Amino acid sequence: MPTRVSSARWEGDLRSGSGTVATGSGTFQGNYSFPSRFESGEGTNPEELVAAAHAACYSMALSNGLAKAGHVPTSVETSAAVQFGQVEGGFAITRIDLTTRGEVPGIDQAEFEKFAQEAKAGCPISKALAAVEITLDAQLV
C-alpha cells in the first residue's frame, strides 16, 4: 500500500500568521489562518480536512460492505461534523458526527443501519480517531 503525504507551511505567529496546506497528489491546496480555524474566517482548517477525510473514508467503507453483501449502493453520501474546542490543557477535537444517506436497492432501514454501524467501526479514519466520540445518523433514502 502506498504512503500518503500532505504538507503544510505556516508563517508568523499564531494569531496574525497564515499558512498553506496541500495534498501530495496535488488535488487540493488551500490557505488557513487563525480566523479560519478559531473563528469564521476564509480558508480551510485542520478540522475541516479531518472531516472531509472521514466522510470520504466512511462512504467508501459503507459502500464496500454493502457491495460485498450483494447490495451495491446507487449512492452513499456522508457528511462529518467535527466539533473542536477548548478542553483542559488546550484544544481538541471533542466529537465527530457522521450523517450518511444511502440509496441502496433491496434492503430495509434496519439492514442499512447494521451495515452503517459496521462501516463506522471498520473505517480506517474512524479507527485512527478512536479516542474521539463518533456519532452516526444513517438513513436509507
Side-chain angles (χ1 to χ4, degrees):
M1 298 292 288
T3 299
R4 305 299 182 196
V5 178
S6 292
S7 63
R9 178 180 172 96
W10 186 264
E11 297 176 353
D13 65 19
L14 178 62
R15 287 199 175 268
S16 63
S18 64
T20 57
V21 61
T23 59
S25 65
T27 58
F28 174 81
Q29 182 174 336
N31 298 319
Y32 69 113
S33 65
F34 184 91
S36 72
R37 187 170 195 193
F38 295 98
E39 300 166 0
S40 295
E42 281 189 38
T44 191
N45 57 69
E47 293 71 34
E48 182 177 62
L49 298 171
V50 167
H54 202 178
C57 182
Y58 178 83
S59 290
M60 291 177 77
L62 178 53
S63 293
N64 184 50
L66 288 161
K68 280 186 170 180
H71 307 293
V72 177
T74 303
S75 67
V76 171
E77 185 172 334
T78 306
S79 66
V82 172
Q83 308 296 319
F84 175 72
Q86 195 160 10
V87 297
E88 186 176 327
F91 288 86
I93 293 174
T94 57
R95 191 177 80 222
I96 300 171
D97 300 317
L98 293 174
T99 302
T100 193
R101 300 294 179 258
E103 187 178 340
V104 188
I107 67 170
D108 62 15
Q109 176 61 36
E111 195 169 9
F112 182 71
E113 178 70 29
K114 177 183 86 71
F115 284 105
Q117 290 294 342
E118 289 171 359
K120 178 183 151 198
C123 162
I125 300 294
S126 291
K127 290 177 182 178
L129 298 170
V132 177
E133 176 189 3
I134 301 171
T135 68
L136 175 63
D137 172 16
Q139 299 296 317
L140 192 60
V141 294

